[in-house]
Each structure stands twice: as structure tokens, then as C-alpha cells.
């Protein structure tokens, strides 16, 4: 009898924990939206006076917007973690002993694009029509995409995925759900469709694959950072449908199709789909083997 009561108590406790997790994720999204609107209000007149094309090419303005979003993300996470008596360090931002992860994430993104871009050239679905080396533009875009990587990883992997893991959600379900949220964040991007939705979901799985084992953001931040930077400012693709600045390489697409990604960029291509799945399998395989060795 006593065992049955204890089992019921465990079920109730798990159920309550899951509901608190859902509540925290919803509150985080709402709170993030409110704080973002509040802190960007002083800059709204500046932004309102610019058309979308000007905004896309104005990297300093994009850096300002992303910095404000990063501040809003930190504030929203801090408020909710404080309510649960959890430290900000639980988000996984520690650099201690993680320099190899930063290098590994950047290298992993480089290898993925070396394969993807190389195959695209071999298949003839893209062609290089020019090269324009502008160091200042490359450095500014590098800084911008660092902010994007930190902000989105802190938001989706650090808080949402981390909160799900703390709430007792199965790590692979938590990874999938948080990745779906990550993909839906891009819903209003230009030319967003089913394949881009699928690929960004898979990108979320790729980015979160190491986090479910390490609970650290260094690898996913570096991977996210260099993936975006190589994709747009270096190789000349749109980044998730957006073009932010001049690129090192000028690309020509003989035909806009599912192999080259068309107007959404490489993330709209089936080559990207294959690379996301292969990359995720490599990361999960690596950490599973590492875990089994320790067991």
C-alpha cells in the first residue's frame, strides 16, 4: 500500500514538473517579446525610417538590433531562472576548458560547407562569377553573426532546451521540440517554405546535439556563428532567406531549385538536409561512444 502511494506521488511530482516546464517556456517567450519591444522602443523611429533593403545592408544597425535582443534574452532568462532559484550559469555559457569546443564548432561548420559547396559546384547548381575582398565588411558581418549565434543559442538551447531537460523531458524529445520552436522562429523570413522549415528544424537538432550531453553552449555557438557567416558573407548565399551584406564570393544560380536552395539560400536545399542529418549522426555517435567508454 505504501509503495502504491509513493508511486502515485512520483507520478504527480513528474506531472507537476512537466507543467512547470511548459509554463516557464511560454513565460520566457512572452517575457522576451515584452522586454524586446520595451528596450527597442527608443530606436523604433530610426528603424522605421529605413526600408527593408536598407536595413538588410546596414550591418551596424543589424548589430545594434541583435545586441538589444541579446540583452532582452539575458533579462528574460535571468528573471525566470531567479524565480526557480537557478543560477545563470545553468544556461551553459562557461568557457572554462571549452576552447576546444569553440574551435571544434567552427571547424565542423567549415567542413560541412566545404562538402556542401563543393558538391554544389560539382553538380553545376551554383557558379562563382566574382570575388570581392572587403575586410571591413567581412569583420562587421563576423561580429554580427557572433551576436546571432550567442543570442539564438542562449534563447533556444540554453533556456528552452535546458529547461526541458531540467524538467525531466526525454533528451531527444526535448531536442526535437526545441528545434521545432527554433524553426518556427524563422516563419516570417522571406521565402520560408516546407524544405527551409525542415532544414532549420534539423539545424536545431544539429546545434543542440552536443548540448544534451555537455550542457554547454560553446560548441553550438561556434557552429552556429561560422555556419551563418560562411553561408552569407563568405559564400554569397542568402542566410535563412535574408541577405545582410556584400559577400566575398558572388554566386550565380543557373536555376533556382531544391538542390541549390533557390532564394532561401543553402538552407533551402536537399543537400543541406543530407548534411544536417549526417552531422547530427556524427555528433550523437561521438558522445554516445564517449558515454559508453566511461560506463
Amino acid at each position: 500500500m505504501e509503495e502504491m502511494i509513493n508511486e502515485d506521488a512520483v507520478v504527480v511530482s513528474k506531472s507537476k514538473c512537466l507543467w512547470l516546464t511548459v509554463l516557464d517556456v511560454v513565460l520566457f517567450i512572452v517575457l522576451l517579446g515584452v522586454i524586446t519591444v520595451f528596450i527597442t522602443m527608443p530606436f523604433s523611429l530610426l528603424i522605421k525610417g529605413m526600408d527593408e533593403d536598407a536595413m538588410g545592408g546596414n550591418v551596424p544597425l543589424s548589430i545594434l538590433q541583435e545586441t538589444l535582443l541579446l540583452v532582452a534574452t539575458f533579462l528574460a532568462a535571468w528573471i525566470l531562472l531567479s524565480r526557480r532559484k537557478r543560477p545563470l550559469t545553468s544556461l551553459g555559457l562557461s568557457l572554462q576548458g571549452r576552447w576546444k569546443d569553440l574551435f571544434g564548432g567552427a571547424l565542423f561548420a567549415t567542413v560541412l560547407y566545404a562538402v556542401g559547396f563543393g558538391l554544389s559546384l560539382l553538380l553545376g547548381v551554383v557558379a562563382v562569377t566574382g570575388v570581392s575582398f572587403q575586410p571591413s565588411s567581412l569583420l562587421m558581418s563576423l561580429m554580427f553573426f557572433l551576436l546571432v549565434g550567442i543570442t539564438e543559442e542562449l534563447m533556444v538551447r540554453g533556456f528552452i532546451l535546458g529547461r526541458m531537460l531540467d524538467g525531466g523531458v526525454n533528451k531527444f524529445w526535448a531536442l526535437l521540440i526545441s528545434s521545432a520552436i527554433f524553426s518556427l522562429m524563422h516563419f516570417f523570413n522571406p521565402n520560408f517554405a516546407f524544405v527551409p522549415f525542415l532544414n532549420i528544424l534539423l539545424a536545431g537538432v544539429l546545434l543542440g546535439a552536443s548540448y544534451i550531453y555537455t550542457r554547454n553552449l560553446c560548441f553550438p555557438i561556434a557552429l552556429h556563428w561560422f555556419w551563418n557567416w560562411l553561408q552569407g558573407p563568405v559564400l554569397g548565399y542568402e542566410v535563412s532567406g535574408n541577405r545582410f551584406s556584400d559577400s566575398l564570393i558572388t554566386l550565380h544560380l543557373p536555376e533556382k531549385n531544391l538542390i541549390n536552395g533557390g532564394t532561401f539560400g543553402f538552407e533551402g536545399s536537399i543537400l543541406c538536409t543530407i548534411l544536417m542529418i549526417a552531422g547530427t549522426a556524427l555528433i550523437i555517435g561521438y558522445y554516445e561512444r564517449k558515454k559508453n567508454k566511461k560506463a
Side-chain angles (χ1 to χ4, degrees), residues 2 30-31 37 42-43 45 58 60 65 79 93 95 98-99 109 114 118 123 125 132 162 172 207 248 256 262 278 288:
E2 187 178 339
V30 172
L31 191 57
V37 169
F43 304 95
L45 291 176
N58 192 324
Q65 289 177 296
I79 290 168
L93 285 172
L95 289 171
R98 294 290 178 179
W99 295 105
L123 292 170
V125 294
S132 176
F172 293 113
L207 290 163
L248 175 66
K256 293 178 174 62
E288 283 293 327

Side-chain angles (χ1 to χ4, degrees), residues 153-166:
E153 292 311 305
L154 181 68
M155 190 187 302
V156 182
R157 259 61 66 178
F159 188 88
I160 295 176
L161 176 55
R163 186 67 190 87
M164 288 182 181
L165 295 173
D166 289 340

Side-chain angles (χ1 to χ4, degrees), residues 16 25 39 52 54 104 128 140 146 165 174 181-182 187 210 265 280-281:
K16 183 180 178 182
V25 170
I39 67 173
E52 288 185 7
V128 176
M140 289 288 281
L146 172 60
L165 295 173
I181 293 171
F182 177 62
F187 185 79
S210 68
T280 302

Side-chain angles (χ1 to χ4, degrees), residues 144-158:
F144 170 70
F145 283 115
L146 172 60
L147 288 169
V148 171
I150 295 172
T151 302
E152 294 187 359
E153 292 311 305
L154 181 68
M155 190 187 302
V156 182
R157 259 61 66 178

Side-chain angles (χ1 to χ4, degrees), residues 57-237:
N58 192 324
V59 180
L61 178 59
S62 297
I63 288 174
L64 172 62
Q65 289 177 296
E66 201 62 35
T67 301
L68 293 173
L69 182 57
L70 177 57
V71 171
T73 303
F74 261 113
L75 284 173
W78 175 73
I79 290 168
L80 290 171
L81 288 173
S82 297
R83 287 181 69 250
R84 301 294 179 211
K85 295 180 170 49
R86 294 178 183 273
L88 269 175
T89 52
S90 65
L91 294 169
L93 285 172
S94 173
L95 289 171
Q96 189 173 359
R98 294 290 178 179
W99 295 105
K100 286 183 179 178
D101 289 349
L102 288 170
F103 176 75
L107 180 61
F108 203 76
T110 304
V111 170
L112 287 176
Y113 259 112
V115 174
F117 189 62
L119 283 173
S120 297
L121 288 172
L122 286 172
L123 292 170
V125 294
V126 300
V128 176
T129 58
V131 177
S132 176
F133 182 60
Q134 299 181 44
S136 60
S137 177
L138 285 170
L139 285 172
M140 289 288 281
S141 61
L142 186 68
M143 186 185 303
F144 170 70
F145 283 115
L146 172 60
L147 288 169
V148 171
I150 295 172
T151 302
E152 294 187 359
E153 292 311 305
L154 181 68
M155 190 187 302
V156 182
R157 259 61 66 178
F159 188 88
I160 295 176
L161 176 55
R163 186 67 190 87
M164 288 182 181
L165 295 173
D166 289 340
V169 180
N170 172 274
K171 64 184 177 184
F172 293 113
W173 276 112
L175 181 58
L176 183 62
I177 293 166
S178 63
S179 299
I181 293 171
F182 177 62
S183 187
L184 289 171
M185 285 166 51
H186 299 78
F187 185 79
F188 294 105
N189 284 28
N191 304 303
F192 191 75
F194 175 73
V195 173
F197 168 78
L198 175 64
N199 283 346
I200 295 178
L201 186 150
L202 291 172
V205 174
L206 175 75
L207 290 163
S210 68
Y211 185 82
I212 61 176
Y213 294 96
T214 66
R215 296 301 297 269
N216 186 274
L217 290 174
C218 286
F219 183 87
I221 284 173
L223 174 55
H224 197 155
W225 176 18
F226 274 81
W227 173 268
N228 281 343
W229 185 66
L230 289 170
Q231 182 177 196
V234 175
L235 296 177
Y237 289 101

